[in-house]
Amino acid sequence: MKAICVFNQKGGVGKTTTVVNLAAALGLKGKKVLVMDLDPQGNSSSGFGVDKMNLENTVYDLFINDVKLEDIIYKTEAENVSIIPSNTSLSGVEVELINTPSRESVLKNALEGFEDFDYIIMDCPPSLGFLSINALTAADSVLIPIQSEYYALEGVSQLVETINLVKKSLNKDLEVEGVLISMFDGRNNLSLEVVEEVKKYFKNKVFKSIIPRNVRLAEAPSYGESIFDYDSKSKGAVAYEKLAKEIIKNNK
Ligand SMILES: Nc1ncnc2c1ncn2[C@@H]1O[C@H](COP(=O)(O)OP(=O)(O)O)[C@@H](O)[C@H]1O
Ligand SMILES: [Mg+2]
């Protein structure tokens, strides 16, 4: 089993879009995938059509109520993809656990010995806080989406610092799965410059697959569908399928 945490403390860089569509792509390739939604906004939950506010259990119960993992895993419509959903109840969890020792490791401990899936893909909130730290501590690797826009690398040094801190104290085996360029627009010179800049910074850690700006990717979530159910011929679908292939190959 491989647990990949999709992380960037910036909002709107394509984390959730990547979680939903990478998970769906891996599922279509026959991999058993568990999505873990760690964002109180619950966007990856709604991206899979989960009715967030009418759930018996969410990821919140994993942190607070010590429920069994099996009791918070829901099947999605996407082939081979299950999800541990989240909703706004998760936003108070950090304060509720303020006196808990090793509260950075709650998720890691919950996943101990859990091997029911080939991949776990975690969606992080846009912050460096408690939930992201839990995800980075529980994960085998981190996938960093970077939006090809003017300030692409702004905040990246802080991001790398956070990963290094987690490696030092909480999860020494954490690796960088790869850096993913998202919302790429080939007609735009700036996008091309950003790719060069990101490659200069992250060297061979940058995925060969690049996600284009594609309106179909932005439309799919409002139907509660991955891009493969919404428009499997779109450029976005082709790109996420390529990314899934690359990740499977890298993990052989
Ligand atoms: N490749 C893309 N092409 C077009 N729109 C995209 C693409 N990736 C993400 N979006 C849109 O951009 C917004 C932010 O993406 P999202 O995945 O929610 O980012 P994050 O989870 O990092 O905040 C969303 O409205 C999403 O639909
Ligand atoms: Mg998100």
Side-chain angles (χ1 to χ4, degrees), residues 32-200:
K32 279 189 76 185
V33 186
L34 176 64
V35 168
M36 199 180 270
D37 192 351
L38 290 163
D39 187 346
Q41 291 188 47
N43 292 339
S44 53
S45 303
S46 27
F48 277 112
V50 175
D51 181 7
K52 291 182 294 202
M53 296 323 279
N54 289 304
L55 296 166
E56 192 171 344
N57 291 313
T58 66
V59 71
Y60 170 85
D61 298 279
L62 191 67
F63 282 98
I64 299 293
N65 293 328
D66 216 18
V67 295
K68 284 201 305 257
L69 264 180
E70 294 75 36
D71 295 335
I72 41 175
I73 296 176
Y74 298 79
K75 283 218 152 67
T76 75
E77 297 287 323
E79 206 175 315
N80 292 321
V81 182
S82 297
I83 187 166
I84 296 182
S86 110
N87 60 29
T88 47
S89 61
L90 188 60
S91 55
V93 82
E94 177 168 12
V95 178
E96 290 185 56
L97 289 177
I98 202 123
N99 288 318
T100 308
S102 65
R103 61 194 184 120
E104 302 85 7
S105 305
V106 178
L107 204 56
K108 185 193 178 80
N109 295 337
L111 288 176
E112 189 77 53
F114 182 72
E115 290 287 338
D116 294 2
F117 291 85
D118 297 311
Y119 287 92
I120 297 181
I121 313 287
M122 302 176 192
D123 193 11
C124 286
S127 80
L128 296 170
F130 166 82
L131 290 163
S132 296
I133 300 294
N134 257 277
L136 289 168
T137 303
D140 298 303
S141 66
V142 49
L143 186 159
I144 306 163
I146 295 204
Q147 186 183 350
S148 46
E149 47 136 35
Y150 195 62
Y151 293 111
L153 285 176
E154 192 189 63
V156 157
S157 60
Q158 219 183 350
L159 183 157
V160 170
E161 207 174 294
T162 303
I163 293 172
N164 286 335
L165 263 173
V166 169
K167 272 179 84 160
K168 229 183 195 166
S169 53
L170 296 161
N171 183 6
K172 65 174 170 28
D173 298 324
L174 181 67
E175 289 177 359
V176 174
E177 188 69 40
V179 174
L180 178 67
I181 292 163
S182 70
M183 300 182 223
F184 177 79
D185 180 355
R187 295 163 306 182
N188 183 337
N189 280 336
L190 176 64
S191 263
L192 297 166
E193 279 168 34
V194 168
V195 172
E196 286 318 305
E197 232 182 292
V198 171
K199 282 185 175 160
K200 223 185 260 171

Side-chain angles (χ1 to χ4, degrees), residues 6-21 39 41 43-44 123-126 145 147 181-184 210-222 236 239-240:
V6 177
F7 170 64
N8 186 331
Q9 79 274 20
K10 265 199 202 179
V13 298
K15 288 184 290 296
T16 299
T17 305
T18 296
V19 166
V20 170
N21 296 302
D39 187 346
Q41 291 188 47
N43 292 339
S44 53
D123 193 11
C124 286
Q147 186 183 350
I181 292 163
S182 70
M183 300 182 223
F184 177 79
I210 287 180
I211 309 301
R213 187 170 280 285
N214 176 222
V215 67
R216 306 302 269 170
L217 285 170
E219 290 166 358
S222 50
Y240 275 109

